[in-house]
Amino acid sequence: MALFWRIFGLNALVLGTATALLLWAPVTVSVPVALAEAVVLIVGLAVMLVANAVLLRVGLAPLERVTRRMATVDLLRPGQRLSVAGHGGVPDLVRAFNDMLGRLEDERATSSARALSAQESERRRIAQELHDEVGQSMTAVLLELKRAADHTKDPALRADLQHAQETTRGSLDDVRRLARRLRPGVLEDLGLISALTTLTTDLSTHTGLAVQRRFDSDLPKLDQQAELVLYRVTQEGLTNVARHAEATEVAVSLFRDGDHLRLQICDNGRGIGLAHEGAGIRGMRERALLIGAKLELEPSPQGGVQVSLSVPLSRNGR
């Protein structure tokens, strides 16, 4: 039934019931209106309004569900659909809303894939320039400083040149580390486990966090995109721990769980609390959608946050 006829029928039912009561009930209205008659009319009007409100509430409930879902839907959490039964105006509207969500999710996934692909290409370009241009220039400066320090006879000047050498060497290490973060060459050359091991080792070295690793030895083979998503999610998760968690320990696990590959990052920090998800977590969710994975954040047994990424092997490995 169309929404118009549904509302019309509900109001017609209430008005018809009221008319029948006036026709067959021993109720009269005198002039002037007696107190008892006024009470009866007011009570009857109240009953009509309540009945009409209840019927309209029932009839328009599906629209309220659609409104609430429209206000809370998150395209980074796909599959949020409203249940629908029957045919007509309101059920057809709910079906159209569910179809619209499906199209929006597909479009969001496609646009995110294009954006992330462009982002990875730009990262590779910047990393290459840092390595080839900035890195080589700083290496040349380092050699010149060493040559000057070796030929000078002034002890004070030699000490200053050696200090400049150390500063330049530290900056060169920072540039190389930044280039590795932008373009994980070890992931392409040695595989996912070696890349994650290097990533966690660097984190422990530069932040002092105690890192525990658990990587199963019989992990299935994944395609290149799935490995890159796992690496980037781990990288972003560890960055969040180092920056915001105030943790002293973090555990990184990668293991097979039935027909899924599961990545877990657990810390013993202060937890996420009531904070809203930032750009980092939203980016992790977008990457997870690229390979049909599911990302979840929940309290960890150590009191901090546990990030879980579940990757279906049917699409991304064997």
Side-chain angles (χ1 to χ4, degrees):
M1 184 183 298
L3 182 61
F4 169 80
W5 290 111
R6 183 185 295 268
I7 295 177
F8 178 81
L10 294 175
N11 284 281
L13 176 63
V14 173
L15 293 176
T17 303
T19 302
L21 290 175
L22 289 175
L23 289 176
W24 294 321
V27 178
T28 59
V29 180
S30 59
V31 181
V33 180
L35 178 60
E37 295 172 347
V39 171
V40 171
L41 290 176
I42 292 174
V43 171
L45 177 61
V47 171
M48 288 173 55
L49 292 176
V50 170
N52 193 42
V54 171
L55 292 175
L56 286 177
R57 173 68 69 181
V58 173
L60 298 178
L63 296 182
E64 293 184 356
R65 291 193 295 122
V66 172
T67 302
R68 288 195 299 269
R69 183 53 55 86
M70 290 175 66
T72 59
V73 69
D74 186 353
L75 296 180
L76 293 180
R77 295 178 172 86
Q80 303 177 68
R81 300 292 187 269
L82 293 172
S83 59
V84 57
H87 298 278
V90 176
D92 289 346
L93 175 63
V94 176
R95 289 191 183 90
F97 176 74
N98 288 337
D99 293 341
M100 181 192 68
L101 283 183
R103 292 192 299 272
L104 288 175
E105 289 172 357
D106 293 341
E107 181 61 30
R108 177 62 182 267
T110 302
S111 60
S112 296
R114 289 195 296 265
L116 291 174
S117 177
Q119 183 185 81
E120 289 296 333
S121 298
E122 186 67 10
R123 286 184 179 213
R124 285 193 294 270
R125 184 188 67 79
I126 295 174
Q128 193 69 31
E129 291 184 359
L130 285 174
H131 182 272
D132 294 344
E133 298 181 12
V134 180
Q136 291 181 7
S137 298
M138 294 184 71
T139 301
V141 171
L142 190 62
L143 294 174
E144 290 294 333
L145 288 172
K146 184 178 184 304
R147 185 179 299 109
D150 291 341
H151 287 82
T152 185
K153 297 181 179 180
D154 187 348
L157 180 58
R158 183 182 297 110
D160 290 341
L161 291 172
Q162 289 174 347
H163 178 71
Q165 279 183 267
E166 295 302 321
T167 302
T168 304
R169 187 176 290 108
S171 299
L172 181 59
D173 291 340
D174 291 339
V175 169
R176 288 171 175 170
R177 185 170 62 254
L178 179 59
R180 287 196 302 269
R181 287 179 60 86
L182 290 172
R183 179 180 178 270
V186 66
L187 177 63
E188 301 173 0
D189 299 335
L190 302 178
L192 180 61
I193 299 301
S194 297
L196 295 182
T197 302
T198 302
L199 186 63
T200 53
T201 301
D202 288 345
L203 176 77
S204 180
T205 301
H206 293 95
T207 65
L209 278 171
V211 181
Q212 299 179 4
R213 292 184 291 264
R214 176 202 162 190
F215 301 146
D216 284 359
S217 58
D218 57 343
L219 294 176
K221 179 67 175 178
L222 298 174
D223 58 46
Q224 185 177 6
Q225 187 179 45
E227 287 190 344
L228 182 59
V229 168
L230 284 164
Y231 179 85
R232 291 300 187 196
V233 169
T234 304
Q235 186 180 50
E236 184 62 37
L238 293 177
T239 300
N240 288 338
V241 172
R243 289 180 178 176
H244 310 297
E246 300 177 4
T248 59
E249 296 180 0
V250 60
V252 181
S253 304
L254 185 64
F255 56 94
R256 185 164 188 165
D257 184 13
D259 57 352
H260 286 74
L261 187 67
R262 188 175 298 275
L263 169 70
Q264 288 185 344
I265 305 171
C266 303
D267 66 77
N268 65 342
R270 57 188 178 89
I272 195 170
L274 300 177
H276 296 289
E277 293 186 359
I281 296 177
R282 304 285 292 182
M284 292 162 67
R285 293 194 184 280
E286 288 183 349
R287 290 185 180 277
L289 290 180
L290 295 180
I291 57 174
K294 183 178 181 181
L295 183 78
E296 295 179 336
L297 275 75
E298 56 189 0
S300 73
Q302 292 78 18
V305 177
Q306 175 174 287
V307 178
S308 298
L309 181 69
S310 182
V311 181
L313 295 176
S314 57
R315 289 180 51 179
N316 305 285
R318 57 182 183 271

